[in-house]
């Protein structure tokens, strides 16, 4: 088995952080963790011991996750981690907490479970949501094989065909010389208010039929993603700005998966951020007006040429020989400063990892998936979206007590003939 072979050889691999990953060690704190969570909900309670065995089996196969981060003179880098895999724990805290590497055998992810749910939490330095789902899918497959050896092959025979082990830095591979900055830094509206008790983290999930939300978007000539982003921005406009004009725009970061545009299968980060921008210059915009503005904003940006321009600008800074020669202890404060400036240009983030595809033989054991992201500087409420077998899960995360924005969002869906089933993690009822 390849796991045993790797242990015998003890070949330590090392690799540079990808272009996007370089920023995360500089800005991560206990309150801005840069940790995202993806979860699979099974049709039966999870056995923690079997889940640990599954993780022990598959982790050595994934060079993206089987690493620890080291600090070099000029940049951080990864090297193979030969410590025991992280201990699988029953969930006992809020999602997306800071990952303390030293207490986690130097791994930068954690696996927890609660009743029927398996959670994978990842420090964004390792991989984006697509890379995370790549890992979670195999972890789930192996867990189910061990749990049901009579119906599924109980012995590990390798990864499924749809799982990639590609670890290339697709930013560098597809880099083109560029001098255009591509990003605007106009300060955006920040949603503020009374916060949950220290460490509190509110989660509200909305379950909706994909076909119904697709039909709702079609009425406005919008894709599902355009419709959801517009509805989130409209909800902020109505509930936070109360339909009033603002000198600052409401702007939502929208991560764009670059793999389809550049024929990549990397399991590392490969995305860029575009911003859907709505500047309310008058009273009482209708939802239809907001959708049109958001559609135009996104469509002007989401094309291969512009996306290439965005990440090429970032890579050009990384490749700059002068910047490369600056010691890390000087780079870190500068990177934090640049991040703080750019972070103020967005009100929130909405990320949609798309439709989750599962091998037919495992479908009877899986009910659904969830995706959520941690809050960050200036963004006290965010949204994660994923779909599975015709159902979409829209997950709001927030550190604010007020939930009027979330209520407006789901209420507007219902008014648009989209049925919604809502659940939360209970913090709003305490």
């Amino acid at each position: 088995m390849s796991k045993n072979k790797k242990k015998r050889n003890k070949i330590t691999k090392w690799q540079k952080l990808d272009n996007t990953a370089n920023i995360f060690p500089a800005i991560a704190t206990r309150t801005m963790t840069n940790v995202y969570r993806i979860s699979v909900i099974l049709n039966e309670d999870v056995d923690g011991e079997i889940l640990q065995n599954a993780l022990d089996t598959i982790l050595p196969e994934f060079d993206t996750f089987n690493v620890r981060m080291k600090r070099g003179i000029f940049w951080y880098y990864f090297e193979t981690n030969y410590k025991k895999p992280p201990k699988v724990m029953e969930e006992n805290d809020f999602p997306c907490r800071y990952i303390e590497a030293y207490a986690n055998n130097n791994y930068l992810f954690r696996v927890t479970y609660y009743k029927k749910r398996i959670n994978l939490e990842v420090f964004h330095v390792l991989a984006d949501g697509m890379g995370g789902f790549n890992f979670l899918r195999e972890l789930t497959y192996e867990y189910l094989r061990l749990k049901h050896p009579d119906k599924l092959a109980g012995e590990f025979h390798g990864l499924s065909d749809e799982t990639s082990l590609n670890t290339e830095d697709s930013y560098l591979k597809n880099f083109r010389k560029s001098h255009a900055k591509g990003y605007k830094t106009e300060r955006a509206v920040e949603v503020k208010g009374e916060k949950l008790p220290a460490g509190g983290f509110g989660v509200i999930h909305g379950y909706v039929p994909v076909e119904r939300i697709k039909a709702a978007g079609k009425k406005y000539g919008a894709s599902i993603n355009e419709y959801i982003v517009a509805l989130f921005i409209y909800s902020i406009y109505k509930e936070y700005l109360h339909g009033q004009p603002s000198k600052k725009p409401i702007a939502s970061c929208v991560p764009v998966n670059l793999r389809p545009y550049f024929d990549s299968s990397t399991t590392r980060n490969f995305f860029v951020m575009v911003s859907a921008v709505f500047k309310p210059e008058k009273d009482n915009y209708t939802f239809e007006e907001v959708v049109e503005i958001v559609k135009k904003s996104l469509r002007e940006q989401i094309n291969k040429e512009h996306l290439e321009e965005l990440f090429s600008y970032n890579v050009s800074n990384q490749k700059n020989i002068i910047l490369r020669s600056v010691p890390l202890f000087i780079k870190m404060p500068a990177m934090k400063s640049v991040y703080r400036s750019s972070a103020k240009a967005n009100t929130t983030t909405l990320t949609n990892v798309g439709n989750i595809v599962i091998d037919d033989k495992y479908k009877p054991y899986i009910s659904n998936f969830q995706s959520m992201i941690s809050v960050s500087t200036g963004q006290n409420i965010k949204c994660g979206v994923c779909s599975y077998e015709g159902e979409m899960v829209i997950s709001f995360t927030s550190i604010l007590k007020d939930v009027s924005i979330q209520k407006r969002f789901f209420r507007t869906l219902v008014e648009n003939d989209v049925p919604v089933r809502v659940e939360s993690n209970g913090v709003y009822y305490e």
Side-chain angles (χ1 to χ4, degrees):
M1 199 164 109
S2 57
K3 179 175 85 167
N4 295 332
K5 183 178 180 181
K6 287 187 180 185
K7 282 190 172 182
R8 285 196 303 271
N9 290 343
K10 285 275 187 179
I11 299 173
T12 298
K13 301 178 182 178
W14 75 275
Q15 60 186 6
K16 297 178 182 178
L17 275 61
D18 62 66
N19 179 259
T20 295
N22 279 314
I23 189 66
F24 295 118
I27 63 175
T29 65
R30 293 191 175 278
T31 55
M32 196 177 76
T33 65
N34 290 285
V35 171
Y36 65 83
R37 170 187 285 198
I38 48 180
S39 304
V40 56
I41 296 90
L42 305 181
N43 291 319
E44 59 188 356
D45 285 348
V46 176
D47 184 314
E49 185 175 345
I50 294 178
L51 182 58
Q52 181 73 65
N53 290 338
L55 178 61
D56 294 351
T57 300
I58 72 154
L59 179 57
E61 306 293 325
F62 283 86
D63 288 341
T64 304
F65 283 79
N66 193 31
V67 295
R68 60 179 180 174
M69 187 168 63
K70 303 282 285 184
R71 183 174 181 138
I73 298 174
F74 301 106
W75 295 105
Y76 283 95
Y77 64 95
F78 293 133
E79 68 176 24
T80 307
N81 190 347
Y82 285 105
K83 290 189 176 182
K84 288 183 179 180
K87 185 172 177 56
V88 171
M89 306 285 288
E90 185 171 12
E91 185 179 9
N92 60 6
D93 208 335
F94 293 110
C96 302
R97 291 175 298 112
Y98 183 78
I99 295 177
E100 184 64 68
Y102 180 77
N104 198 44
N105 285 350
N106 293 127
Y107 290 99
L108 300 172
F109 71 93
R110 70 167 67 92
V111 176
T112 63
Y113 65 95
Y114 180 73
K115 294 184 178 179
K116 298 179 181 181
R117 188 178 67 236
I118 298 172
N119 309 307
L120 172 67
E121 297 192 333
V122 183
F123 182 27
H124 224 314
V125 72
L126 291 181
D128 58 23
M130 295 303 295
F133 268 111
N134 195 55
F135 184 76
L136 177 63
R137 182 174 54 219
E138 285 301 331
L139 176 63
T140 304
Y141 286 177
E142 178 62 8
Y143 171 82
L144 291 172
R145 286 192 290 262
L146 294 174
K147 188 74 163 56
H148 301 281
D150 52 332
K151 296 180 180 179
L152 302 166
E155 184 180 348
F156 181 75
H157 293 296
L159 305 177
S160 55
D161 291 339
E162 68 266 27
T163 294
S164 172
L165 293 179
N166 187 318
T167 61
E168 74 173 15
D169 186 335
S170 290
Y171 292 111
L172 287 176
K173 180 181 178 182
N174 294 284
F175 162 74
R176 299 290 182 271
K177 285 188 177 181
S178 170
H179 300 289
K181 183 177 181 181
Y183 291 100
K184 297 179 180 179
T185 54
E186 181 182 3
R187 190 159 186 166
V189 168
E190 179 180 351
V191 178
K192 299 178 181 179
E194 186 179 358
K195 294 184 178 180
L196 294 166
F201 193 78
V203 181
I204 299 178
H205 301 292
Y207 297 80
V208 302
V210 172
E211 284 304 313
R212 297 287 281 274
I213 202 166
K214 184 178 181 181
K218 191 175 181 181
K219 293 177 184 176
Y220 300 93
S223 68
I224 290 177
N225 217 46
E226 290 168 343
Y227 177 77
I228 297 171
V229 173
L231 181 49
F232 192 10
I233 287 175
Y234 177 75
S235 300
I236 294 170
Y237 167 64
K238 295 296 286 185
E239 295 300 325
Y240 189 70
L241 294 183
H242 307 292
Q244 300 297 310
S246 171
K247 292 181 180 179
K248 299 176 184 176
I250 300 172
S252 174
C253 269
V254 180
V256 178
N257 175 21
L258 294 172
R259 293 169 182 82
Y261 294 92
F262 298 94
D263 192 28
S264 169
S265 60
T266 185
T267 56
R268 300 171 73 185
N269 289 298
F270 194 39
F271 69 97
V272 292
M273 294 285 199
V274 300
S275 289
V277 179
F278 164 62
K279 191 167 186 177
E281 298 174 334
K282 64 176 186 177
D283 290 329
N284 296 317
Y285 282 82
T286 65
F287 177 51
E288 184 174 5
E289 288 177 309
V290 174
V291 174
E292 286 302 313
I293 292 168
V294 168
K295 277 166 48 181
K296 184 175 184 294
S297 178
L298 289 175
R299 291 180 184 183
E300 287 176 348
Q301 299 173 77
I302 302 180
N303 57 76
K304 184 176 180 179
E305 182 179 333
H306 182 64
L307 297 174
E308 183 179 89
E309 188 177 74
L310 290 178
F311 75 76
S312 290
Y313 171 77
N314 294 335
V315 173
S316 67
N317 289 330
Q318 181 185 342
K319 292 171 72 70
N320 184 296
I321 193 165
I322 297 174
L323 294 178
R324 285 170 60 187
S325 62
V326 174
L328 187 58
F329 75 89
I330 296 176
K331 283 193 184 99
M332 291 283 277
M335 292 168 74
K336 287 180 183 178
S337 177
V338 170
Y339 172 79
R340 288 194 194 102
S341 175
S342 62
K344 293 175 182 177
N346 285 283
T347 306
T348 187
T349 297
L350 187 149
T351 179
N352 185 353
V353 297
N355 186 51
I356 310 303
V357 178
I358 292 295
D359 192 302
D360 286 345
K361 65 183 177 182
Y362 299 104
K363 287 181 180 179
Y365 304 92
I366 295 173
S367 171
N368 218 322
F369 289 85
Q370 297 170 344
S371 169
M372 64 183 77
I373 48 181
S374 56
V375 298
S376 58
T377 299
Q379 299 186 35
N380 293 319
I381 178 173
K382 292 188 180 183
C383 184
V385 181
C386 64
S387 305
Y388 174 70
E389 291 292 283
E391 186 169 58
M392 176 177 287
V393 185
I394 303 170
S395 303
F396 288 99
T397 51
S398 176
I399 57 172
L400 302 176
K401 282 188 174 182
D402 183 72
V403 293
S404 59
I405 292 171
Q406 297 93 314
K407 286 181 178 179
R408 167 73 69 163
F409 183 96
F410 291 125
R411 187 167 66 246
T412 307
L413 277 181
V414 173
E415 291 169 356
N416 279 260
D417 200 30
V418 181
V420 183
R421 174 171 57 89
V422 176
E423 66 181 30
S424 82
N425 66 341
V427 300
Y428 300 112
Y429 309 110
E430 294 178 357

